[in-house]
Amino acid sequence: MRALLVVNPKATTTSERSRDVLVRALRSEVDLTVEYTLRRGHAMTLARTAADSGVDVVVTLGGDGTVNEAVNGLLTADAADDAQAGSPAHRLPALAVVPGGSTNVFARALGLPGDWADATSVILDGLRDGRHRLVGLGRADDRYFTFCAGMGLDAAVVRAVEQARLRGRTSTPALYVRATIGQFFGGDDRKNPPLSVERPGEETESGLGTVIVQNTAPWTYVGDRAVNPNPDASFDLGLDVLALRQLGVSSTTRTVTQLARRTGTPHGRQVLRLHDQAEMTVAATRPQPFHLDGDYLGERQKVHFVSVPEALRVVC
């Protein structure tokens, strides 16, 4: 079995020693090639090349951004384009995810342990036994995402955190809280929400201040605690949506309080929730921040979202 290990050397929860241990462990089971990412987007190129060369498994060591790039590399490979009949998942390499970032939402949503060493043990067992799981993905225009996407306030927070990390700050729950407060009170969209959700055959939902699209649950984690605005979201179903119609102080505080409860889900007049959607378009009256899987991708004014069932094989 041939495998490629894609390593993000900036992964926050691993060290050179732990990477060496991982490489030795994988080489005990597979014919392994190791590549280090050198820039943003490099993991996509590496995964695409691996798929086209007939590699059996692509393993990522990094955070959710590294996983997202690898997934997009796999799903845009020639092998995926050749699979015209049905899902390309069985024609493409399987994906194995070793958590190495600060949050690792996709890996944890798959049920993998948060610790890289424990997750590696599970992956090795899966490789030995040939255990795979088919998961659905979301697609935003021409790019895939594994667990969530966002436009508006949600993406503005991601942008602010990325900017802080470029200045040397560490990604922590406190940093996200400060970024959320800063974007909430510093933005212009609270009084004139610019977003709308358009669905085939349904009335347009307009006047939205932020839109979160989930491909699975949870949406994210704060430390070890899952944040679950749409707990019924699943890799086996369509897309779920949480949107806020107005970003008033009282209504937004109430929504945040509901999210903080372990068993609570957001509800109320200002909350829009949609479940198991095959497709939708999020449009804005002016360009809005946009992210996929926690990676900020600039501003967009319209994004078409589609659920892609059974798009990817993952080692479990």
Side-chain angles (χ1 to χ4, degrees):
M1 181 184 296
R2 295 172 56 210
L4 170 69
L5 172 62
V6 178
V7 178
N8 180 354
K10 297 182 179 179
T12 56
T13 59
T14 61
S15 64
E16 185 175 352
R17 178 181 176 278
S18 62
R19 291 193 291 267
D20 289 342
V21 171
L22 172 62
V23 168
R24 288 197 297 271
L26 288 172
R27 281 193 169 138
S28 70
E29 298 294 332
V30 297
D31 177 9
L32 185 68
T33 300
V34 182
E35 295 282 1
Y36 286 77
T37 59
L38 303 177
R39 59 192 176 275
R40 190 164 186 170
H42 194 196
M44 189 183 305
T45 301
L46 293 172
R48 182 185 299 121
T49 301
D52 290 337
S53 68
V55 162
D56 300 295
V57 181
V58 172
V59 185
T60 61
L61 175 61
D64 289 309
T66 305
V67 174
N68 180 278
E69 288 188 12
V71 166
N72 277 276
L74 293 175
L75 269 293
T76 55
D78 290 342
D81 294 337
D82 290 343
Q84 297 297 323
S87 167
H90 291 289
R91 193 173 297 215
L92 293 170
L95 177 72
V97 178
V98 180
S102 58
T103 311
N104 306 302
V105 178
F106 181 62
R108 293 160 84 174
L110 290 171
L112 288 168
D115 177 76
W116 71 267
D118 293 338
T120 299
S121 179
V122 172
I123 289 168
L124 291 173
D125 287 342
L127 290 172
R128 293 187 196 105
D129 299 339
R131 291 199 308 265
H132 301 95
R133 174 186 175 185
L134 284 175
V135 299
L137 298 173
R139 191 175 69 231
D141 291 339
D142 59 352
R143 180 150 177 169
Y144 294 87
F145 61 98
T146 63
F147 64 93
C148 81
M151 287 183 71
L153 176 63
D154 174 41
V157 171
V158 171
R159 177 181 60 191
V161 169
E162 282 198 8
Q163 292 170 344
R165 293 183 66 181
L166 289 174
R167 297 193 298 269
R169 301 290 298 277
T170 301
S171 180
T172 64
L175 177 60
Y176 276 92
V177 170
R178 287 193 293 270
T180 301
I181 293 172
Q183 294 301 309
F184 178 77
F185 287 104
D188 298 326
D189 295 331
R190 289 196 298 125
K191 297 179 180 179
N192 186 20
L195 294 165
S196 62
V197 174
E198 304 165 1
R199 295 178 291 158
E202 302 288 345
E203 290 188 10
T204 297
E205 299 279 358
S206 57
L208 306 172
T210 190
V211 177
I212 295 167
V213 182
Q214 288 180 239
N215 183 53
T216 190
W219 165 44
T220 190
Y221 287 85
V222 177
D224 292 331
R225 184 168 185 172
V227 183
N228 247 336
N230 288 297
D232 294 328
S234 168
F235 290 125
D236 301 321
L237 298 173
L239 303 173
D240 280 28
V241 173
L242 169 71
L244 301 184
R245 291 190 173 88
Q246 296 288 337
L247 295 177
V249 174
S250 60
S251 62
T252 304
T253 300
R254 182 166 54 252
T255 300
V256 171
T257 301
Q258 292 167 350
L259 281 171
R261 297 171 184 159
R262 290 188 181 274
T263 58
T265 53
H267 57 274
R269 289 185 303 170
Q270 304 302 333
V271 176
L272 170 68
R273 293 177 61 219
L274 303 172
H275 176 58
D276 193 15
Q277 302 295 302
E279 66 174 307
M280 73 200 78
T281 298
V282 179
T285 56
R286 51 191 178 274
Q288 290 294 294
F290 170 63
H291 83 88
L292 292 180
D293 288 343
D295 266 6
Y296 179 66
L297 298 178
E299 293 188 337
R300 302 285 180 90
Q301 200 153 353
K302 179 179 283 190
V303 180
H304 183 60
F305 292 93
V306 177
S307 173
V308 185
E310 298 187 342
L312 184 70
R313 282 187 306 135
V314 293
V315 179
C316 57

